[in-house]
């Protein structure tokens, strides 16, 4: 086939997908030609440019030449769905390998071996299952694709330990199997790293990153009430539907609930083990423009392809300019204009710092887990928690790192050493963390940048070809959408936030402990009430000032607490209030005394606090549970039936769980926890 014939056939395939009159964007055909003729190709192009089109067309061309199927490694289920829909429209026989197709994976692999499939999308987690990886070694692979390739790079903004194991697969590919890596978010450092990993003679397709359809505006909104109020006041002025990005799952839930209760159709979307059906419904409604907004974490980030998204609102500042560019790239793909709003305030950096601090595991965590595994054939995760005073999140992160480094294997829900020597490159990890903080600083600098916002962003991505966009908040300051929130809508938001009460869902199972080896709790608390988040402005700020300033809780907290408790006390017939004793301060007992008096309850202190470490020194559930069991006994012989159990803050709920258990052991029937502030890890 001549080069002209090759171009003609590629163009025919393009038309069959996009319709008559379709033409290649600048650089698309060159990337197709490189993928078909070179061993390694890296495509770095802006979001919406059409990177998936490259491997769809190459798959058709490969199959027409009698080559094997294309394997596409893709990180997200929602991204897979978009890709699968597009590939099917092109007439390709496709399948997916991920957690939703576990029962069919044997059939899919048999069809792949029989050459009955053209393209298979697989998640990294599924790819590295032993049976899938072994089966793929027997498959004729015509093209191997790594989508969102920046995840391979330690320097990539969305670095994932499990993704890095793809280096092993790349090294195992036969020399005549072409490899295509694609991403929209790679600066010079990431591109250099990817080229080192992909091998020699990498063809790089790199184009300008400016998204001309986007109009970017910055909103300085220090408080939660201002942000909620502004969104409510302005969201219906924005045409079409859009995404509101939040950094935490909790913020997604609260903001979606606030909008819904004020007449705006919105749904939350984030990764969680029990949210698959909810997320699927949110995705379907958003795809069909049945809701105004989907309130999401970055789970709805990479590669999500809905062409008519007309606005993006960032409720908080993202962790870096690279991830910000990727997220705003969801908007304006098939429309000429899309509005992008970035809200920011001081507290955003606290959240960002938390995420940066947890990129890589601590050396002491790695050493502790390695030492534990050395003495055992296989160790389950719960035993690691019980044996080591390390938080569950840190244990999971460390095990991810050890799995990705091939230091441990996971078999039958237990971990074992592989015998491979560990190289913990502290110098490199410090450098990566430093780079992440530099990217976060770039994001912060955007908030005060005196110049075109669009140009600034792509300059940070090492694209210096951009000109002033002419439509962002700096280039065109006047807008129909105000940069401030009116008093009316701020008050609506404040009223909602002040009425917002967090439920304390009771624990029903013990953490594995020496004293309580059985798993089910014999005595379970009633559902409790928590007044606020410790990190929030408003009531959270009042709690924080008292605790960190070592002063007593004020009358405003007392009044709000009584307001919340009095209806419950009346409904349930509660007669007494107990409190969790503290050796550090009498702040809790003093407030409990005032609260009991305000609510006409009898105050009791039935607990005997024993000599035990502070609960905050315990890092995970197993240790917190055991420590609470060691710390508290009930000295009273006779107890009332219904009791409010008060403490100032809650995180793991083990103190409340154990104290409630101890009270019910001694005859109390119903325990209702009440806490001023939630102080747990961010979700």
């Amino acid at each position: 086939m001549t080069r002209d014939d090759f171009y003609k056939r590629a163009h025919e395939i393009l038309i069959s997908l996009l319709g008559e009159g379709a033409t290649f964007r600048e650089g698309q055909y060159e990337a197709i030609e490189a993928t078909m003729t070179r061993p390694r190709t890296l495509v770095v192009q802006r979001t919406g440019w059409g990177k998936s089109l490259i491997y769809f067309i190459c798959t058709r061309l490969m199959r027409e030449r009698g080559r094997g199927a294309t394997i596409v490694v893709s990180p997200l289920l929602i991204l897979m769905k978009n890709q699968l829909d597009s590939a099917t429209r092109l007439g390709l026989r496709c399948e997916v390998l991920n957690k939703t197709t576990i029962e069919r994976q044997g059939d899919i692999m048999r069809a792949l071996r029989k050459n009955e499939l053209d393209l298979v999308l697989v998640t990294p987690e599924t790819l590295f299952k032993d049976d899938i990886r072994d089966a793929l070694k027997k498959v004729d692979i015509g093209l191997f694709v790594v989508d969102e390739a920046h995840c391979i790079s330690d320097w990539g903004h969305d670095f994932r330990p499990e993704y890095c194991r793809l280096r092993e697969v790349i090294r195992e590919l036969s020399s005549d199997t072409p490899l295509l890596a694609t991403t929209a978010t790679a600066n010079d450092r990431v591109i250099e790293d990817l080229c080192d990993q992909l091998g020699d003679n990498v063809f790089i397709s790199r184009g300008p990153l400016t998204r001309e359809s986007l109009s970017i505006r910055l909103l300085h909104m220090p408080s939660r009430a201002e942000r909620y109020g502004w969104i409510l006041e302005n969201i219906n002025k924005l045409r079409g539907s859009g995404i509101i990005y939040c950094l935490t799952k909790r913020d997604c839930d609260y903001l979606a609930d606030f909008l819904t209760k004020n007449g705006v159709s919105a749904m939350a979307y984030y990764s969680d083990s029990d949210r698959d059906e909810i997320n699927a419904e949110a995705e379907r409604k958003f795809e069909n423009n049945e809701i105004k907004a989907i309130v999401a974490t970055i789970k709805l980030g990479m590669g999500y392809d809905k062409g008519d998204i007309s606005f993006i609102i960032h409720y908080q500042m993202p962790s870096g300019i690279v991830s910000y560019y990727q997220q705003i790239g969801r908007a304006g793909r098939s429309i000429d204009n899309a509005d992008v709003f970035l809200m920011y305030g001081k507290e955003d950096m606290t959240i960002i710092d938390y995420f940066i601090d947890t990129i890589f595991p601590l050396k002491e965590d790695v050493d502790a887990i390695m030492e534990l595994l050395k003495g055992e054939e296989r160790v389950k995760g719960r035993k690691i928690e019980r044996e080591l005073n390390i938080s569950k999140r840190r244990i999971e992160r460390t095990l991810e790192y050890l799995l990705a480094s091939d230091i441990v294997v996971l078999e039958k829900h237990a971990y074992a050493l592989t015998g491979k020597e560990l190289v913990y490159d502290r110098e490199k990890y410090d450098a990566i963390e430093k780079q992440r903080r530099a990217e976060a600083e770039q994001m912060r600098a955007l908030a005060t940048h005196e110049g075109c916002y669009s140009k600034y962003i792509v300059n940070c991505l090492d694209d210096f070809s951009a000109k002033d966009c002419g439509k962002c908040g700096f280039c065109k300051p006047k807008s129909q959408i105000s940069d401030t929130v009116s008093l009316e809508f701020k008050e609506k938001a404040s009223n909602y936030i002040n009425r917002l009460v967090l439920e304390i869902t009771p624990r029903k199972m013990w953490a594995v402990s020496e004293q309580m080896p059985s798993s089910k709790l014999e005595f379970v608390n009633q559902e409790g009430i928590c007044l606020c988040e410790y990190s929030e402005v408003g009531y959270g700020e009042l709690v924080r000032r008292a605790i960190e300033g070592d002063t007593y809780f004020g009358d405003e907290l007392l009044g709000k607490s009584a307001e919340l408790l009095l209806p419950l006390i009346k409904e349930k017939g509660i007669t007494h209030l107990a409190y969790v004793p503290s050796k550090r301060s009498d702040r809790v007992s003093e407030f409990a005394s005032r609260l009991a008096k305000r609510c006409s309850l009898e105050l009791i202190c039935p607990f005997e606090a024993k000599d035990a470490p502070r609960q905050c020194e315990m890092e995970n559930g197993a240790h917190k549970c055991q420590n609470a069991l060691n710390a508290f006994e009930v000295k009273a012989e006779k107890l009332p039936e219904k009791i409010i159990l008060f403490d100032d803050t809650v995180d793991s709920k083990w103190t409340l769980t154990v104290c409630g258990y101890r009270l019910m052991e001694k005859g109390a029937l119903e325990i209702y926890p009440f806490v001023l502030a939630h102080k747990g890890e961010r979700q």
Side-chain angles (χ1 to χ4, degrees):
M1 182 182 289
T2 67
R3 191 171 185 181
D4 288 344
D5 290 338
F6 183 83
Y7 176 85
K8 181 179 178 182
R9 181 61 190 132
H11 190 244
E12 288 172 352
I13 297 171
L14 177 72
I15 290 173
S16 71
L17 180 63
L18 300 181
E20 289 295 332
T23 58
F24 288 114
R25 287 179 173 153
E26 184 177 351
Q28 281 183 329
Y29 173 72
E30 289 74 15
I32 292 169
E33 184 179 56
T35 303
M36 296 294 295
T37 59
R38 293 171 177 261
R40 300 288 186 266
T41 302
L42 173 61
V43 174
V44 183
Q45 297 284 357
R46 67 181 182 273
T47 53
W49 178 82
K51 293 177 288 298
S52 59
L53 191 69
I54 307 304
Y55 50 81
F56 292 150
I57 292 178
C58 286
T59 297
R60 278 287 296 270
L61 292 169
M62 289 284 188
R63 297 297 279 165
E64 289 172 3
R65 292 183 176 188
R67 297 293 301 271
T70 294
I71 305 296
V72 180
V73 184
S74 186
L76 297 174
L77 300 186
I78 191 167
L79 176 55
M80 282 187 160
K81 182 183 181 300
N82 292 148
Q83 293 167 325
L84 189 63
D85 291 344
S86 298
T88 303
R89 287 200 305 273
L90 196 56
L92 298 175
R93 296 168 298 176
C94 305
E95 273 290 1
V96 297
L97 290 169
N98 58 37
K99 68 179 183 180
T100 70
T101 61
I102 291 174
E103 295 179 357
R104 297 194 300 111
Q105 285 178 2
D107 294 335
I108 294 170
M109 293 310 299
R110 279 190 289 274
L112 189 57
R113 284 197 300 272
K114 291 180 181 179
N115 203 28
E116 295 172 354
L117 295 173
D118 301 315
L119 184 145
V120 173
L121 294 148
V122 59
T123 59
E125 296 82 1
T126 304
L127 176 66
F128 283 100
K129 289 172 60 179
D130 290 340
D131 55 340
I132 298 295
R133 191 171 178 188
D134 290 343
L136 280 175
K137 291 177 181 178
K138 303 171 185 176
V139 171
D140 177 24
I141 299 176
L143 172 64
F144 192 85
V145 180
V146 180
D147 205 3
E148 305 297 347
H150 61 273
C151 294
I152 297 177
S153 173
D154 294 337
W155 302 95
H157 78 280
D158 201 33
F159 161 73
R160 299 182 179 193
E162 71 274 10
Y163 229 68
C164 287
R165 294 184 67 191
L166 289 173
R167 302 166 187 173
E168 303 168 28
V169 181
I170 291 170
R171 288 195 296 268
E172 293 171 359
L173 289 175
S174 64
S175 58
D176 62 344
T177 301
L179 183 144
L180 169 65
T182 68
T183 181
T185 47
N187 54 20
D188 287 347
R189 184 188 289 270
V190 174
I191 290 172
E192 182 181 352
D193 186 29
L194 290 175
C195 287
D196 287 342
Q197 294 187 44
L198 296 178
D200 298 330
N201 195 26
V202 179
F203 176 86
I204 301 174
S205 169
R206 189 179 190 185
L209 298 179
T210 299
R211 292 290 309 281
E212 296 177 355
S213 62
L214 303 183
S215 173
I216 302 168
R217 307 195 77 82
L218 309 182
L219 305 170
H220 182 236
M221 300 273 172
S223 74
R224 186 182 187 186
E226 286 175 288
R227 299 184 194 198
Y228 274 36
W230 186 93
I231 293 172
L232 180 61
E233 183 174 5
N234 292 289
I235 193 167
N236 283 326
K237 298 176 186 176
L238 302 172
R239 62 190 179 89
S241 58
I243 303 172
I244 304 173
Y245 279 115
C246 298
L247 290 178
T248 72
K249 300 172 186 178
R250 211 173 284 128
D251 284 322
C252 291
D253 280 332
Y254 291 160
L255 181 53
D257 180 64
F258 169 71
L259 292 173
T260 301
K261 285 179 176 173
N262 283 278
V264 178
S265 54
M267 292 185 71
Y269 186 103
Y270 53 81
S271 178
D272 215 325
S273 57
D274 59 353
R275 282 192 63 90
D276 287 348
E277 290 186 11
I278 300 171
N279 285 345
E281 182 186 6
E283 182 190 340
R284 179 187 62 78
K285 288 187 174 182
F286 185 56
E287 194 71 29
N288 296 326
N289 292 320
E290 295 174 17
I291 54 177
K292 183 68 177 179
I294 193 164
V295 187
T297 62
I298 59 172
K299 176 178 170 62
L300 196 74
M302 287 190 294
Y304 181 68
D305 188 12
K306 183 179 187 295
D308 63 346
I309 293 174
S310 60
F311 65 86
I312 300 284
I313 299 171
H314 277 84
Y315 173 73
Q316 290 135 329
M317 184 178 286
S319 59
I321 208 81
V322 185
S323 51
Y324 179 61
Y325 171 80
Q326 185 190 71
Q327 289 156 30
I328 63 177
R330 300 308 107 212
R333 289 181 167 223
S334 63
I335 55 178
D336 292 335
N337 293 290
D339 294 301
V340 173
F341 301 93
L342 171 64
M343 296 178 163
Y344 65 95
K346 286 192 300 184
E347 75 283 356
D348 297 344
M349 293 309 296
T350 303
I351 304 175
I352 291 169
D353 285 342
Y354 172 79
F355 288 126
I356 292 174
D357 289 341
T358 57
I359 295 171
F360 293 106
L362 300 172
K363 179 64 162 59
E364 51 265 38
D365 292 352
V366 173
D367 290 343
I369 291 176
M370 290 281 289
E371 188 63 32
L372 178 62
L373 293 177
K374 282 179 185 177
E376 305 277 351
E377 185 177 343
R378 290 210 313 264
V379 180
K380 291 191 174 183
R382 291 192 72 180
K383 182 174 181 179
I384 297 174
E385 282 188 57
R386 189 171 68 246
E387 296 291 329
L388 301 177
N389 188 21
I390 302 173
S391 74
K392 184 176 181 180
R393 182 185 178 91
R394 281 164 49 198
I395 289 172
E396 290 173 346
R397 193 64 172 164
T398 304
L399 289 170
E400 282 179 6
Y401 166 81
L402 293 172
L403 284 166
S405 304
D406 201 27
I407 302 300
V408 304
V409 291
L410 178 60
E411 297 174 346
K412 296 180 180 178
H413 308 292
Y415 298 90
L417 294 173
T418 62
K420 182 178 177 181
E421 184 180 354
L422 172 67
V423 178
Y424 187 88
D425 194 344
R426 180 71 266 173
E427 185 177 340
K428 179 180 180 181
Y429 301 153
D430 286 344
I432 293 169
E433 184 176 320
K434 183 179 179 181
Q435 176 67 17
R436 289 289 198 283
R437 296 199 185 281
E439 291 171 1
E441 187 56 41
Q442 286 178 326
M443 195 72 227
R444 182 157 39 191
L446 172 61
T448 56
H449 180 65
E450 293 291 324
C452 174
Y453 303 147
S454 176
K455 182 179 178 180
Y456 172 83
I457 291 167
V458 297
N459 283 174
C460 289
L461 297 173
D462 299 318
D463 174 9
F464 298 99
S465 66
K467 299 178 181 178
D468 289 358
C469 71
K471 59 197 307 183
C472 71
F474 182 85
C475 294
K476 190 178 178 181
K478 291 185 178 180
S479 171
Q480 294 179 333
I481 304 293
S482 174
D483 291 349
T484 59
V485 58
S486 68
L487 181 61
E488 175 191 353
F489 283 89
K490 185 177 179 181
E491 286 180 349
K492 279 187 179 182
S494 295
N495 289 337
Y496 171 84
I497 293 166
N498 289 337
R499 288 197 304 269
L500 194 61
V501 176
L502 311 180
E503 296 175 353
I504 304 176
T505 306
R507 287 191 177 276
K508 297 180 181 180
M509 307 289 285
W510 287 111
V512 177
S513 69
E514 296 171 8
Q515 290 178 238
M516 299 292 177
S518 62
S519 58
K520 190 174 181 181
L521 271 161
E522 184 180 357
F523 304 113
V524 177
N525 288 336
Q526 302 297 308
E527 189 171 275
I529 299 173
C530 179
L531 176 59
C532 63
E533 292 278 2
Y534 188 81
S535 60
E536 295 289 356
V537 296
Y539 293 122
E541 190 172 9
L542 296 177
V543 175
R544 198 163 61 246
R545 283 179 187 169
I547 292 176
E548 295 176 7
D550 196 22
T551 60
Y552 291 119
F553 298 118
D555 288 341
E556 189 173 350
L557 288 171
L558 179 66
K560 183 63 179 178
S561 298
E563 179 187 328
L564 288 175
L565 289 176
L566 284 170
L568 178 68
I569 292 166
K570 182 178 180 181
E571 178 189 352
K572 301 296 183 181
I574 300 169
T575 57
H576 290 69
L577 185 147
Y579 61 90
V580 177
S582 170
K583 294 180 180 179
R584 303 186 310 276
S585 168
D586 62 351
R587 180 170 42 247
V588 170
S589 60
E590 190 274 343
F591 187 80
S593 176
R594 292 161 60 208
L595 183 59
K597 185 176 181 180
R598 177 70 69 92
C599 295
S600 301
L601 297 174
E602 185 174 337
L603 180 69
I604 58 173
C605 183
F607 296 104
E608 180 182 352
K610 296 193 171 184
D611 189 21
R614 294 173 62 186
Q615 191 74 330
C616 63
E617 296 173 16
M618 301 297 107
E619 296 283 351
N620 63 49
H623 282 73
K624 286 178 183 290
C625 175
Q626 186 63 58
N627 193 60
L629 285 166
N630 294 337
F632 298 105
E633 290 288 350
V634 172
K635 58 188 179 182
E637 290 300 323
K638 184 173 176 60
L639 291 171
E641 292 184 352
K642 299 183 180 184
I643 304 171
I644 297 285
L645 175 61
F646 171 70
D647 202 358
D648 54 356
T649 63
V650 61
D651 54 6
S652 70
K653 299 187 287 194
W654 278 117
T655 296
L656 294 173
T657 299
V658 168
C659 286
Y661 181 89
R662 295 297 196 207
L663 292 171
M664 286 182 277
E665 269 187 320
K666 293 290 187 177
L669 297 182
E670 296 176 7
I671 304 300
Y672 296 87
F674 174 68
V675 177
L676 292 179
H678 181 276
K679 202 178 179 182
E681 283 189 348
R682 295 186 180 277
Q683 295 291 320

